[in-house]
């Protein structure tokens, strides 16, 4: 798929590809060579664990450690080859089938386990500190953050061979903890530094495992209705062992903390870069070969990458691996440097130290012995209140010049039944947050977004957020963010919903991902703009915000770059200024590729799309990076229309005319004027009014270039009067006789199945509805064999899928939800003209 030659090396030896572990289900999600895995867990009687660490304690022996409450919650066993927990998080669920979506349940242990501690703080210095959970409640969501406010904090963990060693601090005392299990006994080893007496919660006093210890300074007694192990104060290190399932602690003293850091992943994988796998006027995209075949059978679903130098990057995958990528010409060398992280989607670096945003918080990967591999997984900050809801993804992250971390968390709420459009209980869900450089304090910058990806302008600190069409979000858009911004998801207005600078029609971008401020890239014409990435359509857009911040109007320019990738993140190469793109697909996307990394660079020729667009009181100005053919700049080369959106709890919004009816309003345009340098065009729009969405479609082009209709979209608020000399124009003279409405579809156009096929691709229908009968990877029913079939609904009787039903499903998708599906489609009312709607119906009828 990638056109990449892959070699595996150990030192100077090369392995043949035949000896590499295949990916066809042979390798388990939970890598047996990794002793600690992050995962949320439903621990049954021990409660829900939002930030769980699944620790291998022996062959088929597992401990669930609650990172937030600093307690071992559960001990359980598995049969050989059995996964430790049910694959219910998204990364786990899609491991064997890449497009299989997860539900809303937390993973459950494979077998019933033994409760090791109730859902209270697992360690404290006094009885009061362990009697109850001191953290605030947020509705029914068990994801509540850590105990930092009471002086207890999780420090991180390291791997010592097949042993995972945890570290945390209680007051001034640092504790290390690790486990061994076998023969029906779990041994919990503890090493506490010098300091005060500590209490460790064991279980409820009225039941649970028998527990013994091997140290006279560790007394087990009942306190406050619980069994508690009290470790006496000391001015020296205290090493003790608690044995669960046995009355004695076994023979011998507790060993020293395992601290070996041997190189774990010695092999490297070489791939090649395929030049110009896609290209167009002024651009080319190279494909970076992924180490899809590797000795550990790991899937390679890149979520994000960060450059450590011009020759080196770090790549994080959704399955929780981090790889170092060394670049040399058209070759790439991949080295695995970390593993076991929980659903990371973003990566950064701070002074050369790699930092990853996971469900378990902000983790820094420390290389303590200089061999290039992670030795200590440092909990830089877990102040983020990570929801236990499965859709509460740790979405985006940036680090500023002062070392502060900015990050965002998904806002879609889930429970044990379905996805809801209500505001989440957890105040950090749907928020953009700022964490201080030392990781010890956090502030909410903006709130109540649906799926907030964002970018900070490195020059002025402006933050722009993308959000995705859905409940309470009528369409995708680019939203300026200032402290206190609220975006209305769940019906929360927070004193007024912060509007976008520009909306993006959902046929262009169904799901926006992480935007990128274009600063210092090789695409000089885009400088200062915002590159909007579409996960849903795999396209790139250039957003230009109006002057001032927060901008109240702006433009979005489809660049005509079809990457073929389900885009999530982009980075600018610090050397050549190329733009690197990364992403993978599980949810609906029209991208043909499941995953990939691309390198976008300038190529021969000039860019066909505009590179700037702005609205002024008299009309709009489009700028290009090349002189245009004056013969193409005519009034008849322009078509314009406008529409409004309605924010509601419904999924998306129909297009609305100014009178509130469904549809679009035609917009009259007048003369077109070429700038002095021939690179800009002014389009006269007399009587221009404020509008949520203005579409200007044009056919301007350079000499010898192919004439194509290219749309540019604007949101208009209160544009300034044009400063003609500054814009590069002589003062234009407007001719009223040129003002006219120029239609978007020729009168009398006849519907056809071929036009319907084209429209289904243009509007992204095939991202959600397959045309070959497949359901996997699609959130809507297949179109193959749909026409004439009987449809059963979640509410109400069944119905035949005839023209009337299909038309209703397209224009009013919330009216009847097919059994086995949830609403995930916005209305196309007002989007499709009648011949277009009939063409789509004809296309569906043809898919027998």
């Amino acid at each position: 798929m990638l056109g990449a030659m892959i070699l595996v090396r150990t030192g100077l030896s090369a392995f043949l590809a035949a000896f590499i572990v295949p990916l066809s289900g042979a390798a388990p999600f939970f890598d047996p060579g990794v002793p600690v895995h992050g995962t949320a867990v439903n621990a049954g009687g021990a409660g829900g664990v939002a930030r769980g660490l699944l620790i291998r304690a022996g062959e088929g022996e597992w401990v669930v450690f609650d990172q937030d409450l600093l307690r071992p919650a559960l001990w359980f066993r598995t049969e050989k080859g059995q996964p430790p927990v049910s694959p219910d998080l998204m990364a786990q669920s899609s491991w064997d089938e890449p497009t299989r979506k997860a539900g809303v349940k937390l993973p459950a242990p494979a077998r019933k386990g033994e409760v090791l501690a109730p859902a209270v703080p697992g360690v404290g210095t006094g009885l009061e500190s362990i009697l109850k959970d001191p953290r605030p409640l947020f509705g029914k969501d068990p994801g509540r953050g850590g105990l930092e406010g009471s002086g207890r904090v999780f420090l991180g963990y390291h791997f010592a061979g097949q042993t995972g060693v945890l570290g945390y601090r209680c007051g001034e005392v640092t504790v290390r903890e690790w486990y061994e299990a076998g023969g029906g006994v779990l041994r919990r080893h503890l090493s506490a530094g010098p300091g005060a007496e500590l209490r460790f919660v064991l279980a409820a006093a009225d039941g649970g495992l028998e527990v013994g210890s091997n140290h006279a300074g560790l007394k087990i007694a009942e306190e406050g209705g619980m069994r508690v192990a009290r470790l006496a104060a000391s001015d020296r290190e205290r090493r003790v062992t608690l044995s669960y399932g046995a009355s004695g602690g076994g023979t011998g003293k507790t060993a020293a903390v395992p601290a070996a850091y041997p190189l774990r992943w010695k092999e490297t994988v070489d791939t090649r870069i395929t030049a110009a796998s896609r290209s167009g006027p002024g651009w080319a995209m190279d494909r970076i070969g992924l180490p899809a075949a590797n000795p550990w059978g790991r899937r390679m679903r890149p979520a994000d990458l960060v450059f450590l130098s011009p020759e080196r990057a770090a790549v994080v995958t959704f399955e929780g691996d981090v790889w170092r990528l060394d670049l040399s010409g058209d070759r790439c060398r991949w080295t695995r440097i970390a593993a076991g992280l929980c659903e990371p989607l973003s990566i950064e670096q701070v002074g050369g130290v790699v930092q990853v945003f996971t469900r378990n918080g902000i983790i820094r990967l420390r290389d303590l012995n200089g061999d290039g591999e992670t030795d200590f997984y440092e909990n830089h900050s877990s102040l983020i209140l990570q929801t236990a809801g499965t859709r509460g993804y740790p979405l985006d992250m940036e680090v500023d010049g002062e070392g502060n971390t900015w990050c965002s968390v998904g806002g879609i709420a889930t429970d044990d039944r379905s996805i809801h459009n209500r505001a989440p209980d957890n105040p950090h869900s749907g928020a953009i947050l700022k964490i201080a450089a030392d990781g010890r304090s956090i502030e909410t910058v903006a709130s109540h977004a649906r799926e907030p990806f964002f970018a900070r302008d490195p020059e002025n600190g402006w933050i722009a957020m993308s959000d995705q069409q859905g409940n309470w979000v009528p369409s995708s858009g680019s939203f300026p963010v200032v402290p206190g911004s609220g975006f209305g998801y769940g019906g929360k207005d927070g004193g007024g919903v912060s509007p976008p600078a520009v909306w993006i029609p959902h046929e262009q971008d169904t799901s926006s991902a992480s935007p990128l401020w274009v600063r210092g890239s090789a695409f000089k014409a885009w400088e200062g703009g915002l590159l909007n990435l579409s996960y849903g359509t795999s396209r790139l857009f250039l957003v230009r915000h109006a002057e001032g911040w927060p901008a109240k109007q702006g433009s979005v320019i489809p660049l005509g770059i079809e990457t073929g990738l389900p885009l999530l993140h982009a980075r600018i190469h610090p050397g050549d200024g190329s733009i690197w793109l990364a992403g993978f697909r599980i949810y609906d996307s029209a991208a043909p590729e499941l995953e990939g990394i691309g390198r976008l660079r300038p190529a021969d020729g000039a860019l066909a799309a505009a590179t700037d667009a702005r609205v002024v009181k008299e009309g709009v100005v489009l700028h290009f990076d090349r002189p245009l053919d004056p013969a193409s700049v005519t009034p008849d080369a322009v078509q314009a229309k406008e529409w409004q959106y309605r924010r509601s709890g419904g999924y998306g919004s129909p297009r609305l005319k100014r009178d509130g009816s469904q549809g679009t309003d035609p917009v009259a345009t007048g003369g077109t004027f070429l700038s002095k340098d021939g690179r800009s065009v002014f389009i006269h729009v007399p009587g221009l009014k404020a509008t949520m969405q203005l579409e200007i479609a044009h056919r301007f082009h350079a000499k010898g270039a192919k004439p194509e209709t290219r749309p540019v979209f604007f949101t208009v608020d209160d544009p300034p009067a044009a400063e003609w000399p500054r814009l590069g124009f002589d003062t234009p003279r407007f001719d009223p006789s040129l003002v006219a409405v120029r239609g978007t579809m020729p009168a009398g156009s006849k519907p056809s199945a071929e036009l319907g096929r084209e429209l289904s691709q243009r509007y992204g229908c095939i991202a959600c509805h397959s045309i070959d009968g497949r359901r996997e990877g699609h959130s809507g029913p297949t179109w193959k064999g749909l026409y004439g079939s009987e449809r059963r609904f979640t509410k109400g009787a069944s119905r035949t899928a005839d023209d009337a039903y299909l038309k209703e499903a397209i224009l009013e998708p919330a009216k009847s939800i097919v059994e086995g599906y949830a609403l995930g489609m916005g209305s196309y009312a007002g989007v499709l003209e009648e011949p277009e709607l009939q063409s789509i119906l004809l296309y569906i009828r043809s898919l027998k």
Side-chain angles (χ1 to χ4, degrees), residues 452-582:
F453 286 94
F454 71 95
R456 292 183 70 256
D457 189 332
E459 289 201 0
N460 51 39
W462 290 349
I463 300 176
M465 180 192 80
S466 69
D467 209 347
Q468 302 175 359
Q469 172 194 262
N471 307 105
W472 304 106
V473 184
S475 196
S476 298
S478 182
F479 297 76
V481 177
V482 295
S485 293
F487 298 102
Y489 178 71
K492 297 290 187 180
D493 57 21
V497 177
S498 301
V502 60
W503 294 102
I504 306 173
H506 65 259
E507 76 271 14
Q508 294 288 333
D509 176 19
T510 53
S511 299
S512 295
S514 183
L516 173 75
W517 286 100
V518 184
R519 296 292 187 185
S521 85
F523 290 89
K524 304 301 183 185
W526 297 346
E527 181 70 14
L530 188 75
L531 196 65
N532 191 85
L533 280 60
S534 176
Y535 169 86
T537 63
S538 82
R539 299 168 183 162
L540 297 177
F541 303 85
L542 184 63
V543 175
R544 294 287 189 181
H545 296 88
E547 294 180 1
W549 201 258
K552 298 184 183 303
Q553 56 196 5
S555 63
V556 59
I557 305 166
L559 294 173
I561 298 176
E562 304 275 354
T563 68
L565 300 176
L567 300 170
L568 288 174
H569 283 94
R571 300 280 182 165
I572 296 175
H573 189 278
D576 62 20
S578 58
I579 298 176
W580 289 56
L581 307 163

Side-chain angles (χ1 to χ4, degrees), residues 135 170 259 264 299 385 392 436 457 459 464 478 552 641 652 661 696:
R135 304 171 301 169
C170 179
R264 182 173 296 268
R299 285 202 180 280
L385 305 174
D457 189 332
E459 289 201 0
S478 182
K552 298 184 183 303
K641 59 183 177 182
S661 62
I696 300 288

Side-chain angles (χ1 to χ4, degrees), residues 177-201:
E177 181 167 330
W178 65 104
Y179 306 96
E180 291 179 278
V185 177
L186 169 69
R187 290 182 173 85
R188 177 187 180 189
H189 303 300
L190 297 163
S191 170
E197 178 183 74
L198 297 179
R199 283 174 166 82
F200 297 91
V201 175

Side-chain angles (χ1 to χ4, degrees), residues 253-594:
K253 295 182 178 180
T254 303
V257 178
Y261 305 122
L263 196 63
R264 182 173 296 268
W265 301 295
K266 298 177 183 180
E267 298 87 351
T268 61
V269 183
D270 286 357
T271 67
R272 292 189 185 278
I273 299 175
T274 303
S277 65
R278 288 175 177 256
S279 61
W283 65 273
M285 193 185 81
D286 309 323
R287 287 296 299 274
I288 312 303
L290 301 180
N294 58 76
W296 311 282
R298 302 303 294 168
R299 285 202 180 280
M300 186 66 196
R301 293 185 285 186
D304 193 10
L305 73 158
V306 62
F307 287 100
L308 308 176
S309 72
E311 295 79 31
R312 177 168 287 184
V315 178
V316 67
T317 71
F318 191 49
E319 33 281 322
D321 295 309
V322 178
W323 300 74
R324 186 176 69 244
L325 175 59
D326 292 291
L327 303 169
S328 179
D330 68 347
R331 286 181 174 266
C332 308
R333 175 159 294 175
W334 298 81
T335 306
R336 195 178 179 197
I337 63 171
L341 304 173
C342 188
E343 297 196 325
L345 286 173
S346 54
I347 190 169
E348 263 285 6
Q349 64 89 19
V350 186
V353 176
V354 174
Q355 176 172 295
V356 185
F357 185 20
T358 77
R359 286 186 183 268
N360 289 75
I362 305 290
I363 296 177
R364 288 188 175 171
L365 307 180
R366 297 288 184 179
D367 176 11
L368 302 181
N369 61 1
D371 64 2
E373 191 170 285
T374 300
D375 300 309
F376 184 60
Y377 294 73
E378 176 193 340
N379 173 33
H380 174 64
S381 182
S382 55
L383 293 174
I384 303 158
L385 305 174
Q386 176 61 50
T387 176
T390 57
R391 291 289 291 270
Y393 298 112
L395 290 178
D396 218 343
M397 174 182 61
E398 289 192 17
V399 176
D400 65 23
E402 298 176 351
N404 302 302
T405 295
W406 304 72
C407 57
S408 62
V409 180
I412 297 177
T414 58
D415 64 11
D416 60 351
R417 290 178 297 172
S418 62
I419 296 171
H420 290 277
N421 65 7
R422 59 175 172 80
D425 296 321
N426 191 319
H428 286 175
S429 295
I432 295 175
L433 307 160
K434 178 184 178 183
I435 300 171
D438 61 7
R440 297 181 181 177
S441 62
I442 189 170
E443 62 181 275
T444 300
V445 179
S447 62
H448 293 106
R450 185 174 182 269
E451 290 289 88
F453 286 94
F454 71 95
R456 292 183 70 256
D457 189 332
E459 289 201 0
N460 51 39
W462 290 349
I463 300 176
M465 180 192 80
S466 69
D467 209 347
Q468 302 175 359
Q469 172 194 262
N471 307 105
W472 304 106
V473 184
S475 196
S476 298
S478 182
F479 297 76
V481 177
V482 295
S485 293
F487 298 102
Y489 178 71
K492 297 290 187 180
D493 57 21
V497 177
S498 301
V502 60
W503 294 102
I504 306 173
H506 65 259
E507 76 271 14
Q508 294 288 333
D509 176 19
T510 53
S511 299
S512 295
S514 183
L516 173 75
W517 286 100
V518 184
R519 296 292 187 185
S521 85
F523 290 89
K524 304 301 183 185
W526 297 346
E527 181 70 14
L530 188 75
L531 196 65
N532 191 85
L533 280 60
S534 176
Y535 169 86
T537 63
S538 82
R539 299 168 183 162
L540 297 177
F541 303 85
L542 184 63
V543 175
R544 294 287 189 181
H545 296 88
E547 294 180 1
W549 201 258
K552 298 184 183 303
Q553 56 196 5
S555 63
V556 59
I557 305 166
L559 294 173
I561 298 176
E562 304 275 354
T563 68
L565 300 176
L567 300 170
L568 288 174
H569 283 94
R571 300 280 182 165
I572 296 175
H573 189 278
D576 62 20
S578 58
I579 298 176
W580 289 56
L581 307 163
F584 64 92
R585 175 163 65 90
I586 297 177
Y587 279 104
D588 301 313
S589 172
E593 303 286 356
L594 283 174

